[in-house]
Amino acid sequence: MPPHPTAAASVPGGEPVAASEEESPAARRLRLLSLHLLQPSAPAAAHASSPSSSLVPAACAGRRVVEGGGDVAAALKAYLRGRHRAAQMRLYDFFCARPDLQTPVEMTTAAHRELCFRQLRALVRDAGVRPLTLMANDPAEYFAVMEAAGGADISLGVKLGVQYSLWGGSVINLGTKKHRDKYFDGIDNLDYPGCFAMTELHHGSNVQALQTTATFDPVTDEFIINTPNDGAIKWWIGNAAVHGKFATVFARLILPLQGKGGEPADMGIHAFIVPIRDLETHAVLPGIEINDCGHKIGLNGVDNGALRFRSVRIPRDNLLNRFGDVSRDGKYTSSLPTINKRFAATLGELVGGRVGIAFCSVGVLKVAVTIAVRYALLRHQFGPPKQPEISVLDYQSHQHKLMPMLASSYAFHFATVQLVDKYSEMKKTNDEDLIADVHVLSSGLKAYITSYTAKSISICREACGGHGYAAVNRFGSLRNDHDIFQTFEGDNTVLLQQVAGDLLKQYQEKFKGGTLSVTWNYLRDSMGTYLSQPNPVTARWEGEDHLRDPNFQLDAFRVNKLSPQYRTSRLLHSVAARLQKHSKTLGGFGAWNRCLNHLLTLAESHIESVILAQFIESVKSCPDEKTREVLKLVCDLYALDRIWKDIGTYRNVDYVAPNKAKAIHKLTDYLSYQVRLVAKELVDAFDLPDLIIRAPIGMQSEAYAQYTQYVGF
């Protein structure tokens, strides 16, 4: 790593360095300019008598350095701590006391799978956790337990999710009392390990096109589960390859002789409980073929398998019949009138999986950021001539990489806590508006956060240089294990389209005089001015108070890439107009595809607005003044960094004048520097035990000693 070209001019945040006698005019100018970007380490008066410092940088007017310290870290930790932190700490202590359950850096796929199942069994039977009971009674505690399990091993968190969110969740959410009575306890205590068999070789996201069939036989009062072709083989089914004894199989419900002209009637996708292995011998049951999907890029503690069914008979009662049922004489009944409504209701009940993935993805991001920040504080490289080397995090380029990411970790934390609270309230009340709100919010946050985390892990690895490449320092496993979060429980591109589709529906209702649902209330205020032009005065305002005003930040987040004011509502208006135009010649599907990138930008814009709004609200709600001051700093960095990354948009529509754009850039750099001053406290406030961090370079103390000890010194 070559010296930074201006590293010799000054120490970031410290003393200015005197010019050398041979200093060139260009170097002298760089040195003097750098002084304007630094905060003084002591009042100017303290330097007045120093013969070696004729010029001392003064603090910018109105700016105040936010200071860190143990008190700040403790107060932040207290504010971030959820009401179920005690449950998480009990699990951390449990795994810490059981070295036999800790995942080593290197192990075979088979060994990892067996360890992962032992971890889950110990969590349930030794630690006394009942995840399905928690999910039914207190979803917030369930998600806290899932995050803690994923901290011990992401494979464990995912395997827990397969067993309880998916297999157990399908039984209690899609079934009725008879199913809960029969299966609940066995799922909860792990006597009935199970699978969620939805995805097929030829179809993943397009669930309505699944080909597996469940044909009712009125003679025997059974359903016959069949895989009609290779494309219908159930694929990537977690728990199937080794441990599962049951599967919730999604299949087309076929009723013989009830269609037009006596043809079979296809009633759409339904869910069925299908035993796949003998409860006693664990032998694969007749008519079922199970194969192993093999070694994966990551998550090798989860045993993914492929399932083929050859005329497998199950009792009629194994139909999960909450939204549709078949009587003994073969008659179909449902409280929902159409296949599409039944399908929407079925998938809507499975939204908890997306909530959990978004929540746990933030946990992975916190681990990666903590390791990278602690190492950047520890690592010293280069410095001014004849002076000690400086921390890597004192370089502006490193602050630019990591400080906005740290700010995003906080933003996502508050957004997902709110999502979990909304989901918990939804399960209690079954309020229709809240159900719709959680469905779209979970889709958007899952897509946005997992994509951001995936990119950020790679940046953290690069920020830690060669030591970041060591497997023991976690970035490789974090990246590989988390990567699939962008795909399962809904491909991110598909989920963002759901967000865009809902916004368009809200837009249509607005102009029909309907009301807007919970999350989208701000559209009600902004749509009335979607044709207004940017204010030429405010477009040039560049004062720090203005740029750090939450009202400016929220308004800026809502500015459109194509139109003047209010980003999300302008995107919404313009894409609606484009869809209407193209549908005349291309049809609805063709028009949607023509506008797809526009729609994805709309969805991301909306989710960014939701995240920022919740961050601002969380800052306001913080009871401790000093903690609130630190959080406000972090929130401002999150907002202004996002604006700067999209500055071309704001310039194109004249929402931001050139001088204001420059001021935003300058302030973003300054805020990154300010956040760097409390970076240690901010990552310590995540309160992640060493068991969860595990990377030697991410330890709070003696990191190098632990690292050298690991390799054998």
Side-chain angles (χ1 to χ4, degrees):
M1 173 177 160
H4 192 283
T6 59
S10 59
V11 179
E15 300 281 350
V17 180
S20 65
E21 293 181 1
E22 291 90 11
E23 184 177 45
S24 69
R28 179 177 181 277
R29 179 163 178 77
L30 281 172
R31 179 176 59 79
L32 294 178
L33 285 172
S34 72
L35 297 176
H36 295 281
L37 300 177
L38 302 175
Q39 291 296 309
S41 57
H47 299 278
S49 60
S50 171
S52 61
S53 267
S54 58
L55 177 62
V56 176
C60 298
R63 284 186 175 172
R64 179 175 174 277
V65 176
V66 175
E67 297 177 350
D71 291 344
V72 171
L76 280 168
K77 189 183 301 183
Y79 188 56
L80 292 182
R81 185 178 292 126
R83 64 181 184 275
H84 299 299
R85 182 62 178 176
Q88 290 185 315
M89 291 307 298
R90 284 195 296 272
L91 276 185
Y92 294 150
D93 291 342
F94 173 76
F95 281 108
C96 190
R98 292 284 301 271
D100 60 305
L101 297 177
Q102 295 171 17
T103 305
V105 175
E106 298 179 62
M107 64 191 317
T108 65
T109 295
H112 197 177
R113 288 172 171 181
E114 286 310 308
L115 173 62
C116 194
F117 189 66
R118 284 197 294 111
Q119 289 171 330
L120 181 58
R121 188 169 52 204
L123 182 149
V124 172
R125 297 180 181 176
D126 299 344
V129 178
R130 286 292 180 266
L132 196 61
T133 298
L134 292 178
M135 191 175 74
N137 298 335
D138 189 349
E141 184 171 357
Y142 170 74
F143 290 126
V145 166
M146 179 185 284
E147 182 188 28
D153 186 333
I154 299 179
S155 284
L156 172 60
V158 171
K159 195 170 184 72
L160 184 149
V162 170
Q163 173 69 12
Y164 297 105
S165 295
L166 298 181
W167 156 231
S170 64
V171 171
I172 66 174
N173 292 320
L174 302 181
T176 49
K177 183 177 184 298
K178 63 183 178 183
H179 301 110
R180 290 190 287 272
D181 290 346
K182 183 174 181 179
Y183 294 100
F184 190 99
D185 289 343
I187 295 172
D188 209 11
N189 65 24
L190 210 55
D191 283 344
Y192 295 167
C195 318
F196 185 81
M198 177 181 281
T199 297
E200 295 177 356
L201 178 62
H202 283 186
H203 289 94
S205 298
N206 188 5
V207 178
Q208 281 189 295
L210 296 179
Q211 300 178 73
T212 301
T213 58
T215 304
F216 182 63
D217 182 348
V219 176
T220 61
D221 196 26
E222 294 172 318
F223 285 102
I224 305 170
I225 310 298
N226 199 51
T227 302
N229 55 63
D230 286 354
I233 295 172
K234 295 296 183 180
W235 210 273
W236 291 124
I237 309 306
N239 275 357
V242 179
H243 299 124
K245 296 180 184 293
F246 294 88
T248 294
V249 176
F250 287 80
R252 314 192 76 79
L253 196 163
I254 306 298
L255 296 177
L257 306 176
Q258 295 197 22
K260 291 182 179 180
E263 292 292 317
D266 183 344
M267 308 309 295
I269 302 299
H270 289 66
F272 303 82
I273 296 175
V274 181
I276 61 173
R277 287 187 175 92
D278 187 276
L279 283 174
E280 300 299 327
T281 67
H282 203 61
V284 176
L285 294 175
I288 297 173
E289 182 182 354
I290 303 178
N291 284 293
D292 196 324
C293 288
H295 187 80
K296 306 184 294 291
I297 291 174
L299 290 182
N300 281 299
V302 181
D303 52 311
N304 293 89
L307 299 169
R308 185 201 294 272
F309 304 96
R310 291 187 172 93
S311 299
V312 176
R313 289 180 173 269
I314 59 172
R316 178 170 54 88
D317 278 350
N318 283 26
L319 167 65
L320 294 171
N321 60 338
R322 179 179 173 189
F323 298 116
D325 202 2
V326 175
S327 64
R328 176 64 186 85
D329 60 359
K331 299 298 183 186
Y332 184 84
T333 56
S334 175
S335 59
L336 301 171
T338 67
I339 287 178
N340 285 341
K341 286 187 179 295
R342 291 193 293 271
F343 178 75
T346 297
L347 292 194
E349 283 300 320
L350 304 175
V351 71
R354 289 198 293 269
V355 175
I357 289 172
F359 191 73
C360 291
S361 182
V362 179
V364 175
L365 179 62
K366 289 176 182 176
V367 171
V369 170
T370 297
I371 296 170
V373 168
R374 284 180 177 166
Y375 178 71
L377 290 166
L378 169 74
R379 185 75 166 179
H380 286 69
Q381 296 289 288
F382 305 108
K386 299 180 182 180
Q387 292 196 31
E389 291 183 303
I390 66 171
S391 163
V392 171
L393 198 54
D394 283 327
Y395 287 104
Q396 187 183 62
S397 57
H398 223 70
Q399 294 168 11
H400 179 72
K401 286 179 183 177
L402 296 182
M403 296 303 95
M405 191 188 301
L406 178 55
S408 294
S409 302
Y410 271 77
F412 298 165
H413 169 88
F414 292 119
T416 52
V417 166
Q418 181 206 33
L419 174 62
V420 168
D421 288 344
K422 280 178 174 283
Y423 177 80
S424 300
E425 183 65 22
M426 178 198 82
K427 298 300 288 184
K428 289 179 184 176
T429 65
N430 288 313
D431 178 84
E432 290 188 4
D433 286 340
L434 199 53
I435 290 171
D437 190 33
V438 169
H439 171 70
V440 180
L441 189 59
S442 64
S443 296
L445 287 174
K446 184 268 185 187
Y448 190 90
I449 290 172
T450 58
S451 293
Y452 184 94
T453 298
K455 296 180 180 71
S456 297
I457 294 170
S458 289
I459 294 171
C460 287
R461 204 295 301 158
E462 294 167 14
C464 292
H467 294 317
Y469 199 62
V472 70
N473 287 322
R474 302 281 320 276
F475 293 118
S477 60
L478 289 174
R479 180 175 57 198
N480 292 347
D481 287 346
H482 176 274
D483 196 60
I484 195 63
F485 281 38
Q486 301 174 91
T487 302
F488 61 19
E489 289 299 309
D491 174 86
N492 284 357
T493 301
V494 174
L495 294 182
L496 288 174
Q497 289 180 72
Q498 292 182 12
V499 175
D502 194 81
L503 287 168
L504 286 164
K505 179 183 175 183
Q506 300 292 331
Y507 180 85
Q508 185 181 37
E509 289 179 1
K510 166 68 178 179
F511 287 99
K512 286 183 178 178
T515 59
L516 296 177
S517 66
V518 187
T519 299
W520 329 126
N521 281 340
Y522 74 79
L523 291 175
R524 180 174 50 206
D525 301 322
S526 63
M527 278 186 192
T529 57
Y530 67 78
L531 290 178
S532 65
Q533 295 299 313
N535 186 320
V537 176
T538 58
R540 286 169 170 74
W541 284 355
E542 56 181 285
E544 183 175 334
D545 288 345
H546 167 66
L547 297 180
R548 298 184 69 173
D549 184 340
N551 292 322
F552 159 71
Q553 293 166 2
L554 279 172
D555 284 348
F557 265 51
R558 296 166 188 166
V559 174
N560 179 11
K561 291 188 174 182
L562 301 175
S563 308
Q565 196 171 5
Y566 293 106
R567 181 170 63 172
T568 300
S569 57
R570 291 297 306 195
L571 275 165
L572 192 51
H573 172 72
S574 56
V575 80
R578 289 187 65 206
L579 285 169
Q580 184 178 31
K581 170 188 172 184
H582 290 305
S583 63
K584 295 175 183 177
T585 55
L586 301 175
F589 180 84
W592 186 271
N593 193 35
R594 175 66 65 86
C595 301
L596 187 52
N597 289 336
H598 193 161
L599 290 160
L600 298 176
T601 303
L602 164 65
E604 290 177 341
S605 168
H606 170 68
I607 293 302
E608 286 179 349
S609 297
V610 170
I611 291 170
L612 178 61
Q614 183 56 40
F615 199 171
I616 290 171
E617 186 59 36
S618 298
V619 172
K620 291 178 180 177
S621 301
C622 181
D624 178 73
E625 182 179 354
K626 194 168 186 180
T627 306
R628 190 165 58 247
E629 182 181 341
V630 174
L631 288 174
K632 177 65 168 67
L633 168 67
V634 177
C635 184
D636 289 342
L637 175 58
Y638 172 75
L640 291 173
D641 178 71
R642 289 302 312 133
I643 293 170
W644 174 248
K645 281 182 167 58
D646 205 15
I647 199 66
T649 293
Y650 300 103
R651 286 290 302 114
N652 286 344
V653 298
D654 293 329
Y655 185 79
V656 170
N659 66 310
K660 188 170 187 173
K662 184 177 179 181
I664 290 170
H665 187 198
K666 190 174 180 180
L667 183 55
T668 301
D669 284 345
Y670 172 73
L671 293 176
S672 290
Y673 161 73
Q674 283 273 60
V675 170
R676 176 262 175 271
L677 297 179
V678 288
K680 180 184 184 300
E681 290 77 9
L682 288 168
V683 296
D684 287 351
F686 291 148
D687 200 17
L688 299 173
D690 288 349
L691 171 75
I692 304 305
I693 298 298
R694 294 201 291 284
I697 63 171
M699 294 294 105
Q700 294 194 57
S701 61
E702 300 186 359
Y704 280 136
Q706 294 194 46
Y707 195 16
T708 54
Q709 183 179 5
Y710 171 79
V711 300
F713 288 100

